[in-house]
């Protein structure tokens, strides 16, 4: 038996909000064998098993009466290479940003816009992580998951993942699929995506006229560093709400009243509203009650100034949701996974 199971463990170091709840049991999985052992242990003791990666998309609102299994498997390998592209496989426990940096250092492009996102490779397909106009689905090849119901391995192709905006089949079948490793199709010849937000402008300001993927990554790291709180300094889980996609007529009604509305047309004719703008307009930016607050520079991010509980953060989120619904008629959906 290689799996080390500890009891009554604080999960504070294992969630980026820094919420101090306890797990009845806690273990780290370094291999597929560890994962199977944990599943067998949980079944034998009639316990739930909760899988976590970096804990950067979690809001823990109570002690977890389960075996919490942190994915810590490591390994990155090229499984296929031709003159223009490579398929790279990474184990679920690989930290995301160092993986991105390693690919760039090897001359492989495609992940640069997803730089500096916390968390693990295994969690990236869960909500089809996205930033600056690129989503995991754009570079996804396939993944291997363990069916927790049958114990069988299953390969998922791009179509089978049903990726959507911060969404996938895995988010809907919670607790069924345990992602073991993910494969990405990367390219030696870069097609850069610079049209989003301030990326192109930042490169121009730096006098970079022929950017490489590494330049883009550095620019995005710099932009993110200026706006987003570092979880090591101030607890947070990134954007707390998804940007709502609403009918064009509703967006127009809001714009009639608030001409500064930030909204982007979607291919289906609907409009994606910047949730951060709505929250800021409603006066929540920089709000703080106890140790739960709304970040002073980015109102889409809820923060824990120290000892906020998960329930305090959840209550704040619910107050914001109710206020935005009342003021703008817009439903804000929470992004982090609630436990
Ligand atoms: P966790 O939080 O540990 O888990 C998230 C969910 O996935 C849980 O339900 C968990 O059970 C499940 N899960 C984890 N690993 C596995 C696995 N191997 N198999 C099955 N289920 C699993 N997200 C973006 O999309 N774009 C961003 O730009 C972005 N920026 C962020 C910035 C900051 C400062 C922070 C704190 C967060 C940000 N996020 C962003 C959110 C978060 O980093 C991502 O969603 C990330 O992919 C979560 O990875 P994780 O390993 O921390 O997952
Ligand atoms: P921003 O640049 O201030 O823009 C605000 C929102 O408008 C973004 O969330 C983005 O939506 C949307 N947007 C901006 N330019 C757009 C364009 N050209 N076309 C369509 N939509 C556009 O956003 P930010 O908060 O600083 O974040 C920058 C990027 O990092 C965004 O992509 C954001 O999603 C990502 N991010 C995500 C998290 C997270 O936890 N999920 C945390 C931090 C940053 P989208 O969100 O749909 O891209």
């Amino acid at each position: 038996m290689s799996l080390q199971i500890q009891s009554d463990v604080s999960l504070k170091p294992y969630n980026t909000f820094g919420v101090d709840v306890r797990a009845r049991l806690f273990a780290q999985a370094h291999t597929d064998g560890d994962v199977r052992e944990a599943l067998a242990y949980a079944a034998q003791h009639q316990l739930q098993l909760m899988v976590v990666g970096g804990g950067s998309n979690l809001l823990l609102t109570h002690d977890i009466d389960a075996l919490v299994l942190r994915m810590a498997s490591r390994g990155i390998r090229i499984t296929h290479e031709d003159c223009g592209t490579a398929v790279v496989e990474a184990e679920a426990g690989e930290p995301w940003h160092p993986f991105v940096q390693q690919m760039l250092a090897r001359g492989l492009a495609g992940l640069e816009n997803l730089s500096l996102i916390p968390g693990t490779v295994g969690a990236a397909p869960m909500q089809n992580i996205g930033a600056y106009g690129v989503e995991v689905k754009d570079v996804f090849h396939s993944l291997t998951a363990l069916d927790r119901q049958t114990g069988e391995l299953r390969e998922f192709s791009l179509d089978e993942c049903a990726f959507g905006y911060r969404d996938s089949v895995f988010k809907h079948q919670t607790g069924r699929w345990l992602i073991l490793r993910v494969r990405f199709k990367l390219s030696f010849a870069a097609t850069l995506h610079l049209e989003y937000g301030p990326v192109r402008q930042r490169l121009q300001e730096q006098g970079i006229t022929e950017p490489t993927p590494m330049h883009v990554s550095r620019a995005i790291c710099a932009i993110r560093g200026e706006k987003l709180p570092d979880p090591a300094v101030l607890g947070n889980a990134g954007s707390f709400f998804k940007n709502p996609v609403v009918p064009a007529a509703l967006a127009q009604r809001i714009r009639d009243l608030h001409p500064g509305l930030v909204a982007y047309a979607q291919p289906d004719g609907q409009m994606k509203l910047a949730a951060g703008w709505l929250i800021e307009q409603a006066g929540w930016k920089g709000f703080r009650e106890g140790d739960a607050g709304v970040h002073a520079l980015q109102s889409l991010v809820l923060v824990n100034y120290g000892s906020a509980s998960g329930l305090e953060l959840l209550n704040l989120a619910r107050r914001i949701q109710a206020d935005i619904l009342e003021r703008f008629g817009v439903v804000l959906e929470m992004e982090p996974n609630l436990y």
Side-chain angles (χ1 to χ4, degrees):
M1 171 156 171
S2 67
L3 192 71
Q4 306 286 313
I5 300 181
Q6 299 165 264
S7 53
D8 191 25
V9 171
S10 168
L11 294 178
K12 190 171 177 174
Y14 301 111
N15 72 100
T16 59
F17 256 129
V19 167
D20 196 5
V21 298
R22 303 193 80 79
R24 179 159 157 192
L25 296 172
F26 178 83
Q28 310 217 38
H30 299 275
T31 63
D32 289 8
D34 288 347
V35 170
R36 288 191 182 276
E37 219 176 286
L39 283 168
Y41 185 96
Q44 197 185 346
H45 294 83
Q46 293 178 329
L47 275 172
Q48 296 287 326
L49 182 121
M50 174 183 166
V51 184
V52 299
S56 63
N57 209 14
L58 300 178
L59 180 58
L60 304 172
T61 59
H62 53 75
D63 288 341
I64 307 293
D65 187 20
L67 168 56
V68 174
L69 186 69
R70 179 170 179 268
M71 294 304 290
S73 49
R74 304 296 289 265
I76 298 171
R77 56 199 79 86
I78 293 183
T79 59
H80 175 82
E81 188 173 339
D82 57 36
C83 53
T85 61
V87 176
V88 181
E89 180 177 79
E91 296 294 319
E94 281 289 341
W96 178 260
H97 179 65
F99 168 62
V100 171
Q101 292 305 298
Q102 209 184 114
M103 292 304 99
L104 291 172
R106 286 190 191 186
L108 284 165
L111 297 169
E112 52 278 2
N113 290 39
L114 303 176
S115 296
L116 216 58
I117 298 180
T120 53
V121 164
M126 285 297 294
Q127 69 158 16
N128 179 28
I129 56 168
Y132 296 96
V134 173
E135 295 176 329
V136 146
K137 74 169 172 51
D138 301 323
V139 284
F140 181 86
H141 179 275
S142 56
L143 65 77
T144 305
L146 184 70
D147 185 343
R148 291 170 53 176
Q149 286 170 8
T150 64
E152 284 169 10
L153 292 182
R154 157 103 188 256
E155 302 295 312
F156 282 82
S157 67
L158 177 65
D159 285 348
E160 288 166 332
C161 292
F163 287 127
Y165 173 58
R166 305 282 189 271
D167 201 19
S168 73
V169 69
F170 311 107
K171 254 201 132 158
H172 292 275
Q173 299 182 6
T174 327
R176 175 154 186 201
W177 302 106
L178 201 157
I179 297 169
L180 294 174
R181 53 194 66 88
V182 186
R183 287 168 290 279
F184 303 89
K185 192 172 181 184
L186 304 178
S187 175
F188 288 103
T191 306
L192 299 179
H193 300 276
L194 309 176
E195 59 286 350
Y196 217 78
V199 180
R200 190 186 294 279
Q201 188 193 333
R202 178 62 63 109
L203 290 163
Q204 280 168 354
E205 282 165 8
Q206 292 171 343
I208 298 167
T209 49
E210 290 182 29
T212 63
M214 194 63 102
H215 285 129
V216 175
S217 171
R218 285 200 197 114
I220 285 176
C221 288
I223 297 166
R224 292 181 71 106
E226 287 161 15
K227 279 178 97 167
L228 285 169
D230 176 355
V233 179
L234 188 59
N236 75 92
S239 303
F240 200 89
F241 302 101
K242 294 182 187 180
N243 291 311
V245 178
V246 304
L250 173 56
Q252 190 53 53
R253 279 205 299 279
I254 299 172
R255 183 162 274 155
D256 289 344
L257 295 170
H258 308 272
L261 176 73
V262 179
Y264 298 90
Q266 299 300 287
D268 63 0
Q270 298 201 90
M271 298 294 281
K272 184 177 71 185
L273 311 183
W277 186 89
L278 297 174
I279 296 167
E280 187 175 341
Q281 291 304 303
W284 289 98
K285 197 173 187 176
F287 175 87
R288 176 173 177 173
E289 193 168 82
D291 272 352
V294 178
H295 189 47
L297 299 178
Q298 168 52 290
S299 42
L300 204 44
V301 178
L302 298 195
V303 291
N304 177 7
Y305 284 99
S307 58
S309 69
L311 276 180
E312 285 168 336
L313 289 158
L314 182 61
N315 286 338
L316 173 57
R318 288 194 170 136
R319 281 171 65 191
I320 294 171
Q321 280 177 317
D323 191 28
I324 299 304
L325 183 60
E326 196 183 314
R327 281 174 195 262
F328 301 106
V330 172
V331 176
L332 287 186
E333 197 186 327
M334 294 185 203
E335 189 178 290
N337 300 272
L338 219 61
Y339 291 92

